[in-house]
Amino acid sequence: MASLPFTTPHFSHFKPAKPIKSLNSNEPIHLIQLNGISRNHQTLYKSYFHTISSLCKDGQIQRALGLLVEMDSRNLSPGPEIYGEILQGCVYERDLSTGQQIHAQVLKNGACFARNEYIETKLVIFYAKCGAFDIANALFSRLRVNNVFSWAAIIGLKCRIGLNEEALMGFSEMQENGFFPDNFVVPNALKACGALLWLGYGKGVHGYVVKVGFDGCVFVASSLIDMYGKCGALEDARKVFDGMIERNVIAWNSMIVGYMQNGMNEQAIGVFHDMRVKGVEPSQVSISSFLSASANLGAIGEGRQGHAIAVVRGFELDSILGSSVLNFYSKVGLIEDAELVFKRMLEKDVVTWNLIISSYLQCGLIDKALDTCHLMRSENLRFDCVTLSSILTAAANSSNIKLGKEGHCYCIRNSLQSDVVVASSIVDMYAKCGRIDCAGQVFSSTTNKDIILWNTLLAAYANVGNSGETLKLFYQMQLESVPPNVTSWNSVILGFVRNCQLNEAKEFFLQMQFLGVHPNLITWTTLITGLAYNGFHDEALQIFQEMQESGIKPNTISISTALSACTNVTSLQQGRAIHGYTIRNDLGSRISVSTALVDLYAKCGCLSQAKMVFDGIVSKELPVYNAMISAYALHGQAGEALAVFRTLEEAGVEPDGMTFTSVLSACTYTGLVNEGLEIFFDMVSKHHFSPSMEHYGCVVSLLSRSGRLDEAFRLILAMPFEPDAHIIGSLLAKCREHEEIELVEQLSKYLLELEPDNSGNYVAISNAYAAAGRWDEVSEIRDLMKEKGLKKSPGCSWIQIGEKLHSFIAGDGSHPSTEEIQATLALLGTDMNFSA
């Protein structure tokens, strides 16, 4: 800011004494004779003034005060300008205590000093710069004459302490009073606009800047870029940036930060590159923003370059730059590099410790996170709300109720449980540890409940399917004047879905739209997955289409669910359309999507396309391997299924239960008994995997299909758990083919005890007796079915033609094209007989 004008007074009563020593001497200064000869009062006074001014600028306020005392002892009265210089020195050093002493001296000197415009303005500036808002504001309100300097001081102070609306009111008021904001006031006004996201007001200030010609000022232009960036108007920010004739590092930083904060990370990296090409040396702010953008993109190479530049430039890893480097390595999963950076940081504040703890938790290293917490305490650093939230999150994710309770107790001992962020973490922890009763108690005991806390408990009830409590809480929050947001509505819909109340979920979905609450991606995805999971595949696909029509882009979860729905209704046409969408939007490489596509094409009979999708995946993970093995098994190609299984093992991917089920099924369908048994034995001995009922069922089916019924039965008896109806039924069916009637009798009793009301079991037993010519037993079984009122469910098949699905039930002639279909079948039968 420009210096305040003043007039040096003339003194006639001053009588000098001895010569004064050199101002460069380290000895005490005694101004008795200036330059050895001058005895002129005015010249001597000016020398005092310039010496005091120089000392204040050098931060030597106490030496300046010594001169002030000396002047007083020599009866040389200091004028307002000397007090002003000392106050300015206190501003440089932010020395509130000394400045207050000067203020007291001013008041002691009487009204002629205290009501001096220059002194009054200097006092406002001093208190404003030192952050003493109440005093500065009181002095400003009592000013007899305002000027640009006092307005600048009070507006700047209001911006610094967050009173942005008041700052902008002052900006307007000073113009109404005839004062034109200078290039020190305008940046503060722009800063306030950015903080409030008042883009319209900011554009008005921009108009003023152009009108008065401040647009050529680098400081003002940088503030404009920063304001537009905070308001999300990056095109306007770029126009200002491109229009600058000269750019300093602050202007470049403003553009980089603007892009990064608005998620335009690639553009942020591009500006950083351009800055280096132009020869502008990056600052710590530049590198920190560049690292954040690299972390957001997962750009490991670029982030490492940013770290290297910081090292080459000699920047110390302080709490700001060090945290940015640490955050980068953590986000891209290089936890060992993050640890190394953390150890080398010179300054570690609570934020830094929280960051490394959070990094460990993101990587699932809960024990390391807890060890770091203990180490943090040994450094005499107290946990804050962020630390405790991290600890409670670790307890929630690991269902460690003991750790969660310890964190809760620490909160109580340190009076942190009233913090809504901590309270939300405690509620979430208890809910995920299965103690929703404790979650409710913590919620009820929290005095100040914000929307996040309400939503946390809503989500807790919704996740366990307690739709009644979820809905009750939803209405209760409105009674307590907390309006629900879209997250609140989503929880209620999820609660209905988890409780299989699909009609209520759909009704609530329509209600939120009617009330003007726009469903977001989570809302649509929750409804789609709920419908598909409960068997309403056609409705799920319809909602998926409506979501896209509303302008919401589906994510991998909604796409995978839609593909699964297409698979269940064999809607190959719609599945292909979704596949096309994934290709256009670069989502086809996501494992969940690829897995769903392989499954879709395989189950719709397009094995070659399933293989094409599988082969196109660069980094294959277990789910997609399982899908491809299952696809080959479904199509009876056991050799190919075994080949994929071997490839999986060679890639170092550990198989799971689904893998073994699929490969054993493939061996079963094609009768590869030895290969199947070898896989089963390897599962236990090589992979140390405990077989489930399903795996035993596959081996029983494998043995029975090859006629080794006794071995299959012995395996059933040797299982570590009771066989289910499916295993018994599969062996019973093979007994029918081999007329093992004694085994049929044993299995029949077991099967009817397991499922006495399953009509299919009675039919299977009846057929087995019929194959052996045991007609009396057949009659007994059929009579037993009649007594129980059981009927065999008719078989059903369907086919999609165009967008219409046609269903056919055995013996049903209700289809409108039945006669045409029967005629075509008869014609095909004739042709087949003729060809044979």
Side-chain angles (χ1 to χ4, degrees):
M1 186 180 294
S3 298
L4 288 170
F6 66 88
T7 303
T8 303
H10 296 272
F11 296 91
S12 58
H13 62 276
F14 177 70
K15 295 180 180 180
K18 298 178 182 177
I20 159 181
K21 298 202 175 195
S22 170
L23 295 179
N24 294 325
S25 173
N26 291 325
E27 299 179 20
I29 301 173
H30 299 286
L31 289 177
I32 300 178
Q33 186 176 7
L34 187 61
N35 293 330
I37 56 171
S38 176
R39 294 180 180 276
N40 183 281
H41 295 176
Q42 182 176 352
T43 303
L44 188 57
Y45 187 89
K46 285 183 178 180
S47 297
Y48 269 108
F49 169 77
H50 290 304
T51 304
I52 289 173
S53 177
S54 178
L55 289 170
C56 289
K57 288 176 181 177
D58 289 341
Q60 301 182 54
I61 299 176
Q62 294 306 316
R63 295 186 71 190
L65 289 176
L67 290 182
L68 193 65
V69 172
E70 183 178 308
M71 290 179 69
D72 187 60
S73 67
R74 299 294 179 179
N75 294 320
L76 183 61
S77 301
E81 67 284 350
I82 289 182
Y83 286 113
E85 286 300 311
I86 297 177
L87 284 170
Q88 188 63 46
C90 293
V91 168
Y92 294 146
E93 299 298 317
R94 299 296 190 266
D95 190 344
L96 180 61
S97 177
T98 302
Q100 287 177 320
Q101 293 176 36
I102 297 299
H103 189 186
Q105 187 65 37
V106 167
L107 295 174
K108 183 179 177 181
N109 288 339
C112 64
F113 270 66
R115 303 302 289 171
N116 179 279
E117 179 185 348
Y118 174 72
I119 288 292
E120 284 184 321
T121 304
K122 275 292 185 182
L123 284 169
V124 171
I125 295 171
F126 160 70
Y127 282 114
K129 291 290 185 180
C130 290
F133 174 73
D134 292 336
I135 301 174
N137 205 37
L139 290 174
F140 179 79
S141 64
R142 292 201 299 266
L143 285 176
R144 291 177 296 108
V145 180
N146 285 328
N147 53 40
V148 173
F149 303 101
S150 56
W151 276 109
I154 204 68
I155 290 172
L157 174 59
K158 289 179 177 179
C159 281
R160 287 194 299 276
I161 65 175
L163 299 175
N164 297 296
E165 291 188 31
E166 290 189 26
L168 292 178
M169 289 172 63
F171 180 77
S172 299
E173 188 179 344
M174 72 177 292
Q175 294 178 74
E176 292 172 1
N177 292 338
F179 297 101
F180 296 102
D182 61 9
N183 56 347
F184 290 91
V185 177
V186 168
N188 280 316
L190 291 169
K191 179 182 177 181
C193 291
L196 294 168
L197 304 181
W198 285 9
L199 180 59
Y201 200 111
K203 287 188 174 183
V205 177
H206 190 179
Y208 172 83
V209 166
V210 174
K211 181 179 178 181
V212 299
F214 287 158
D215 47 338
C217 174
V218 176
F219 189 35
V220 172
S222 299
S223 299
L224 280 168
I225 295 168
D226 181 68
M227 181 274 295
Y228 280 126
K230 284 186 170 62
C231 292
L234 272 302
E235 291 184 5
D236 294 307
R238 188 70 198 219
K239 286 178 183 177
V240 174
F241 181 77
D242 291 339
M244 294 178 69
I245 299 173
E246 295 182 7
R247 304 186 189 106
N248 60 6
V249 69
I250 297 174
W252 287 96
N253 288 348
S254 297
M255 198 68 245
I256 294 169
V257 172
Y259 276 134
M260 185 271 295
Q261 289 179 341
N262 285 274
M264 302 172 71
N265 299 293
E266 292 181 5
Q267 291 85 339
I269 290 175
V271 174
F272 182 84
H273 177 265
D274 292 342
M275 178 177 70
R276 299 206 67 215
V277 170
K278 295 288 185 182
V280 179
E281 290 294 341
S283 66
Q284 288 180 302
V285 175
S286 319
I287 296 173
S288 295
S289 301
F290 175 73
L291 286 165
S292 296
S294 301
N296 294 336
L297 289 173
I300 296 177
E302 286 78 0
R304 287 190 183 277
Q305 289 176 26
H307 187 188
I309 293 169
V311 173
V312 171
R313 293 274 294 153
F315 292 140
E316 293 183 350
L317 292 178
D318 58 11
S319 57
I320 298 175
L321 181 58
S323 295
S324 297
V325 179
L326 180 60
N327 177 63
F328 161 72
Y329 284 122
S330 301
K331 277 193 174 180
V332 298
L334 300 175
I335 192 65
E336 292 180 359
D337 294 283
E339 287 178 321
L340 190 60
V341 170
F342 179 76
K343 289 175 183 176
R344 292 182 177 178
M345 286 180 66
L346 301 176
E347 301 175 8
K348 299 185 184 79
D349 56 11
V350 175
V351 175
T352 311
W353 284 91
N354 288 341
L355 192 56
I356 191 68
I357 292 169
S358 176
S359 302
Y360 283 135
L361 294 175
Q362 288 174 8
C363 296
L365 303 172
I366 296 175
D367 290 338
K368 276 198 170 186
L370 295 178
D371 290 341
T372 307
C373 288
H374 292 307
L375 186 60
M376 178 181 174
R377 292 288 293 138
S378 69
E379 295 286 336
N380 295 320
L381 287 170
R382 294 186 61 186
F383 295 159
D384 64 2
C385 297
V386 177
T387 321
L388 285 163
S389 294
S390 297
I391 294 171
L392 292 164
T393 300
N397 293 339
S398 60
S399 298
N400 189 338
I401 188 69
K402 182 176 180 295
L403 173 62
K405 285 184 175 181
E406 289 175 358
H408 188 187
C409 290
Y410 183 93
C411 295
I412 294 172
R413 289 195 303 270
N414 292 274
S415 302
L416 292 169
Q417 76 275 15
S418 59
D419 183 275
V420 289
V421 176
V422 172
S424 297
S425 299
I426 296 172
V427 169
D428 183 61
M429 179 274 296
Y430 279 123
K432 287 182 178 176
C433 289
R435 295 297 304 274
I436 201 164
D437 55 331
C438 295
Q441 290 172 10
V442 173
F443 175 84
S444 299
S445 64
T446 306
T447 307
N448 298 318
K449 303 180 181 73
D450 65 355
I451 185 68
I452 296 175
L453 184 59
W454 283 95
N455 284 342
T456 302
L457 190 59
L458 275 170
Y461 283 126
N463 281 320
V464 297
N466 194 336
S467 57
E469 286 296 326
T470 307
L471 192 61
K472 178 182 175 182
L473 197 66
F474 179 79
Y475 289 126
Q476 183 184 341
M477 68 186 294
Q478 296 175 72
L479 291 174
E480 296 191 21
S481 301
V482 180
N485 58 13
V486 66
T487 304
S488 317
W489 287 84
N490 289 347
S491 292
V492 179
I493 293 173
L494 177 63
F496 284 133
V497 166
R498 289 282 171 88
N499 202 33
C500 300
Q501 295 173 278
L502 276 303
N503 289 331
E504 289 82 354
K506 289 186 288 185
E507 182 181 342
F508 219 72
F509 177 75
L510 295 174
Q511 186 179 345
M512 71 181 291
Q513 291 175 296
F514 177 77
L515 293 174
V517 181
H518 298 290
N520 60 12
L521 178 59
I522 296 174
T523 321
W524 290 97
T525 303
T526 301
L527 192 57
I528 291 167
T529 52
L531 289 167
Y533 182 81
N534 287 279
F536 298 95
H537 305 294
D538 289 322
E539 282 191 67
L541 291 172
Q542 182 182 345
I543 297 295
F544 180 78
Q545 185 174 349
E546 290 177 8
M547 176 179 70
Q548 295 178 79
E549 291 171 354
S550 70
I552 301 291
K553 290 185 176 181
N555 60 4
T556 54
I557 298 174
S558 52
I559 289 173
S560 301
T561 305
L563 287 169
S564 176
C566 292
T567 302
N568 282 285
V569 296
T570 61
S571 179
L572 182 59
Q573 181 180 358
Q574 198 160 354
R576 287 184 191 276
I578 296 173
H579 187 186
Y581 178 88
T582 64
I583 294 172
R584 290 191 301 273
N585 291 273
D586 195 27
L587 295 169
S589 60
R590 306 293 176 87
I591 290 298
S592 60
V593 175
S594 302
T595 304
L597 283 169
V598 170
D599 192 53
L600 166 75
Y601 284 124
K603 290 180 178 176
C604 289
C606 302
L607 185 60
S608 60
Q609 287 185 276
K611 184 177 183 301
M612 189 180 300
V613 173
F614 178 79
D615 291 340
I617 303 169
V618 179
S619 299
K620 297 180 178 68
E621 297 180 19
L622 181 60
V624 77
Y625 276 113
N626 287 346
M628 197 66 234
I629 293 171
S630 178
Y632 280 128
L634 183 65
H635 287 261
Q637 298 187 16
E640 287 78 1
L642 286 170
V644 174
F645 179 75
R646 300 303 179 200
T647 304
L648 175 150
E649 289 186 311
E650 291 169 4
V653 179
E654 189 64 28
D656 63 359
M658 185 178 294
T659 316
F660 290 116
T661 300
S662 298
V663 74
L664 287 170
S665 298
C667 294
T668 300
Y669 294 152
T670 52
L672 297 178
V673 181
N674 293 333
E675 290 83 350
L677 292 175
E678 182 182 351
I679 293 291
F680 185 72
F681 293 138
D682 284 349
M683 176 173 64
V684 179
S685 60
K686 181 179 177 181
H687 296 282
H688 309 290
F689 198 93
S690 299
S692 67
M693 179 78 74
E694 195 171 10
H695 299 128
Y696 278 106
C698 289
V699 179
V700 167
S701 181
L702 178 68
L703 291 169
S704 59
R705 279 172 180 260
S706 61
R708 298 159 68 170
L709 302 180
D710 290 337
E711 289 183 58
F713 188 60
R714 286 199 299 272
L715 181 62
I716 289 176
L717 296 176
M719 288 192 309
F721 27 68
E722 290 294 319
D724 61 9
H726 177 74
I727 291 180
I728 301 295
S730 66
L731 183 56
L732 181 67
K734 293 304 171 184
C735 290
R736 168 191 167 188
E737 296 178 11
H738 295 84
E739 298 184 3
E740 289 283 350
I741 197 63
E742 293 182 4
L743 195 54
V744 168
E745 290 177 348
Q746 294 182 59
L747 296 174
S748 298
K749 293 177 182 178
Y750 211 144
L751 190 60
L752 294 180
E753 287 178 4
L754 287 172
E755 293 183 348
D757 298 323
N758 188 335
S759 61
N761 292 337
Y762 291 89
V763 173
I765 296 169
S766 174
N767 290 341
Y769 281 126
R774 304 281 291 269
W775 301 109
D776 292 339
E777 285 81 354
V778 171
S779 297
E780 288 179 10
I781 293 297
R782 290 182 177 177
D783 290 342
L784 190 58
M785 283 185 70
K786 289 179 181 178
E787 287 178 13
K788 288 180 171 290
L790 301 176
K791 293 183 179 180
K792 183 179 181 299
S793 301
C796 178
S797 61
W798 60 86
I799 186 172
Q800 183 176 355
I801 301 175
E803 296 183 357
K804 189 173 182 181
L805 193 69
H806 301 265
S807 300
F808 297 93
I809 299 174
D812 180 23
S814 61
H815 193 278
S817 302
T818 296
E819 294 183 2
E820 184 180 352
I821 293 170
Q822 294 294 341
T824 303
L825 288 173
L827 183 61
L828 289 172
T830 303
D831 288 344
M832 290 171 66
N833 290 331
F834 180 77
S835 300

